[in-house]
Every structure is written in C-alpha cells, then in structure tokens.
Amino acid sequence: MRNEKSVGVLLIICTIISILLANSSFHTIYYKLWEMPISLKFGNLNFFSLQGNSLTISEFINDGLMSIFFLMVGLELIHEVYIGKLSKFSQALLPILGAFGGMIVPAGLYAYLNFGNETISGAGIPMATDIAFALGILSLLGKKVPLSLRIFLTALAVIDDLGAILVIAVFYTKNLSLYFLFLALAIWMLLLLFNRLNVKWLFLYILGGIGIWYCLLHSGVHATLAGILVALTIPFNNGKATQLLSLLKYPVNFIIIPLFALANTALPIQLNFQEFFSQPYCLGIFLGLVVGKPLGILLFTYLANILKLCKLPLETSWKQMLGIGFLGGIGFTMSIFITLLAFNPLTQSEYINHAKIMILFSSLCSALIGYTYLYIIYQKKKI
C-alpha cells in the first residue's frame, strides 16, 4: 500500500472489472446496482436527498465521497505551499506555468473543434491530469527518473487539479440557490475564524465540513467543492492538516477512487473508432489529452525558460520534459468527473458514455507514449 504504483494498478484493475461486468450477461444487474437509492434520515429529513429524491449510490460516490478526495487534494496543496515543492516561488513558478499551459491548450483545441455546438460545454474535460495514474506510470521506470522530475510532475498535477476545481466552480454551477450558498459561506467563515483562533479540535472542522457539503449540494454549486473549502480552514501550523492528510491517504486512494472508477466506467463498449473520431467532442478530448497536454506543458515551460523567468529542474532536459508532458495527458479521474458535470445525464447520456470511452482510450495512449518515450530515453542514456 505504500508503493505509489499500487494506486494506478488498482484503478486499472477496477476499470477492467467494471467494463467487463457492464458488457457481460450481468450488465442489467450491474447498472441497477449503481442506481439504487440510499438515504440517511433524521426524522423527516433525508440527508442524502436532492430536490426530494434520494441520491443513488453512483451520485453519492460522485457528490459525496469525492468531496473527501477533494479535501485530500486541498490538504496536499496546502502542504506543498507551506513546506513542500511550492514553498519557494522560484521552485513553484515552472510547474505553475506548465500546469497553466497544460490546461489552456487542451481546452483551446477542444473549444476550436466544438465551437457553435452544444458539446462546447465539455471544454474542461481534457484540462485535468490524474495524479495517481501519472505518478504510477512514472514510478514504473524505477530509479532511472531523477527526483527533480518526480517533484515537477507532482507539483504540476496538484496545481492542475486546483485549476480543474476552479473551472468546476466557475463554469459548471447551475440553478444557484443564494440561500444555501449564503449558509455554506457562513459556516466556512466560522471555520476560518476557528483557524484564526487556532482551535485544535479537528472534529469541529469535520462537522462544519459536513454542513458546508449539505448546503452546497442544495445550492447549485457542486458539493465536492466543500472538500477544498474545508481544507483551507484546517490549521497547518499545529500539525492538524498533516494529521488529517495522513488519515485520508489510504481510504481515498484504496477505497474512494477505486469506487469512483467502478461506478463511472460501467460502459457498454461498442468500438467503432471511425464513428468516435467523427464526433467533434470525442476528437476534442483525444487531441486535447494526447496532443494538447504535452504541447501546452512544453510550450509554456520553454517560453518561461527563454524569458528567464525560471529554470529547468536539476538533472532534467527538454527531452524528459516532453515525456512528462505526455504523462500529463492521463486524465481519467478528473476528466471523467468533469464529463459528468459538462453534459446532462438525462438528455446527453450518449455524450457522457462516448466521452468516458474516449477519456479511457486517450489516457491509455498518453500513458503508453509517455512510458515508452521515457524508457527509450533512459535506455539510451544508460548505453
């Protein structure tokens, strides 16, 4: 469980199992499993309900458990800013610019191909990098990879996730309820006050976080953003943030993310690549992840280097940075997550299914290209 390869391998296994079940004779039972309603009642109040309907298991995973994933991402970001890879501006600038390029170029490619179509709403899909998968693939190369390159990819992926979260907050908010939004902000301000007063009781922040989640669920802002908001309130200087991050690491990596993979890759696979690539949104996802990601990361970091804003990490070269760019095209978790927000599941379910398949295919291509490319580079270096 301490091996960073394990999370990526587990995600691959869960994805394969889910796709096999979804395309087997058990597919009807398997689909119904994720659509089963769940409830948590306090008197007449159903805590797991939205607009009078109980959340399904799939919705609970996507809207509820993924909030804990976002909490962990937020805590990781705070850790990196305080004492980690982003603590010095000179160290942070290169991955910040790389992440920015890795979001702008893929989104631009997608938007260009889908301009004027209803599928333009999916422009955020190819913007994200899956931390677990990308680091897992890089770790397969062993000790050949310099530590500075691992640090760069980690920082880039964390910043990339933050960018994806901001995109979700700004562009994928619908039917806003000011009443519940105000309540969520009020609870958040209270938690910030606790932080200012250096309140150490972790359960107060968790209790407040549950309240923020419930309010955001009914506000129109995606409920998972509660995780990021709570992460920003937990005191770092007394060790509580680090303590909570350690507690969350294994449950998130080995329970929540695999469950997300199982629930969201239950896809009927009908491989007709000619049909897929004739659809502008599928082509936008593929080109965004496989081409746009490495192009954006490399272009923005190279320009930053030319302008002498920052330097390449020690023991790294532009050839290696290109390989990291390809690994940045592994979207998976965040890309699928944004897909669920970008398209309407009632009227655009075909878009969602096709987009998920293209995300899996594109992420696989990026992983294979990145790994093979870096493997060849390090083999030549060894020779």
Side-chain angles (χ1 to χ4, degrees):
M1 289 178 71
R2 293 176 181 175
N3 192 323
E4 60 185 9
K5 301 175 188 176
S6 303
V7 182
V9 171
L10 182 59
L11 285 176
I12 292 170
I13 292 171
C14 288
T15 301
I16 292 171
I17 290 173
S18 185
I19 290 173
L20 288 175
L21 286 173
N23 291 273
S24 70
S25 56
F26 300 102
H27 68 276
T28 303
I29 298 172
Y30 189 59
Y31 292 145
K32 286 183 178 179
L33 168 66
W34 300 115
E35 297 305 313
M36 286 176 61
I38 58 172
S39 61
L40 178 62
K41 291 187 177 180
F42 298 94
N44 293 325
L45 174 66
N46 183 359
F47 197 70
F48 294 152
S49 69
L50 184 60
Q51 298 177 347
N53 298 317
S54 294
L55 296 178
T56 63
I57 293 177
S58 178
E59 289 171 337
F60 174 69
I61 292 169
N62 294 336
D63 295 345
L65 294 184
M66 285 299 284
S67 299
I68 303 173
F69 165 76
F70 278 91
L71 173 59
M72 189 182 80
V73 170
L75 291 172
E76 285 178 338
L77 180 65
I78 292 169
H79 180 271
E80 297 301 334
V81 168
Y82 270 91
I83 58 173
K85 307 165 187 71
L86 306 177
S87 58
K88 294 181 180 179
F89 183 72
S90 58
Q91 292 177 324
L93 187 57
L94 192 68
I96 287 173
L97 293 174
F100 188 72
M103 292 185 285
I104 292 295
V105 176
L109 278 172
Y110 183 99
Y112 174 76
L113 291 169
N114 290 268
F115 187 75
N117 298 328
E118 62 179 349
T119 52
I120 188 68
S121 59
I125 296 172
M127 292 174 66
T129 298
D130 191 290
I131 299 176
F133 260 135
L135 290 176
I137 297 298
L138 190 65
S139 69
L140 295 176
L141 295 164
K143 296 181 180 179
K144 301 172 186 177
V145 181
L147 179 61
S148 56
L149 207 62
R150 294 174 186 268
I151 290 172
F152 174 82
L153 179 59
T154 303
L156 182 139
V158 169
I159 297 164
D160 194 288
D161 270 1
L162 178 62
I165 290 162
L166 292 174
V167 167
I168 291 169
V170 175
F171 296 104
Y172 295 112
T173 295
K174 301 171 185 176
N175 303 320
L176 196 64
S177 168
L178 294 178
Y179 171 74
F180 280 107
L181 183 61
F182 175 79
L183 283 179
L185 290 175
I187 299 171
W188 187 55
M189 295 295 289
L190 180 62
L191 294 184
L192 286 175
L193 178 62
F194 288 165
N195 180 303
R196 192 70 177 172
L197 297 173
N198 201 26
V199 175
K200 299 179 180 179
W201 297 323
L202 199 56
F203 80 92
L204 285 177
Y205 296 95
I206 295 172
L207 191 64
I210 294 171
I212 292 173
W213 177 83
Y214 180 81
C215 291
L216 288 184
L217 181 69
H218 294 270
S219 72
V221 178
H222 203 270
T224 51
L225 296 177
I228 290 292
L229 293 176
V230 174
L232 296 174
T233 67
I234 297 173
F236 184 85
N237 54 4
N238 62 21
K240 292 299 178 182
T242 305
Q243 179 185 347
L244 184 57
L245 182 58
S246 298
L247 288 172
L248 292 177
K249 185 177 180 182
Y250 292 121
V252 169
N253 286 338
F254 293 99
I255 298 176
I256 293 175
I257 297 301
L259 277 174
F260 178 85
L262 286 169
N264 291 285
T265 55
L267 302 167
I269 302 294
Q270 295 176 342
L271 293 178
N272 186 339
F273 284 104
Q274 185 176 355
E275 180 186 347
F276 275 122
F277 283 101
S278 66
Q279 303 294 332
Y281 66 99
C282 289
L283 186 59
I285 292 170
F286 179 80
L287 290 179
L289 288 173
V290 179
V291 178
K293 269 290 184 181
L295 180 62
I297 292 169
L298 197 66
L299 178 62
F300 275 61
T301 51
Y302 183 73
L303 288 175
N305 190 261
I306 290 292
L307 296 173
K308 297 183 179 179
L309 297 175
C310 43
K311 298 179 180 179
L312 276 180
L314 295 173
E315 300 179 328
T316 60
S317 65
W318 288 112
K319 288 182 179 180
Q320 294 172 345
M321 290 293 284
L322 178 58
I324 292 299
F326 282 121
L327 294 183
I330 304 173
F332 199 78
T333 305
M334 287 301 294
S335 292
I336 290 176
F337 190 81
I338 294 174
T339 298
L340 300 173
L341 302 178
F343 301 126
N344 188 323
L346 297 178
T347 60
Q348 299 175 317
S349 59
E350 184 178 277
Y351 292 165
I352 292 175
N353 288 338
H354 286 181
K356 285 180 180 180
I357 293 171
M358 189 52 72
I359 289 166
L360 293 176
F361 178 71
S362 304
S363 296
L364 177 62
C365 289
S366 295
L368 289 174
I369 293 170
Y371 174 80
T372 304
Y373 176 80
L374 287 172
Y375 180 82
I376 292 171
I377 285 176
Y378 288 118
Q379 283 295 106
K380 287 183 177 179
K381 192 175 180 181
K382 185 177 179 181
I383 293 170

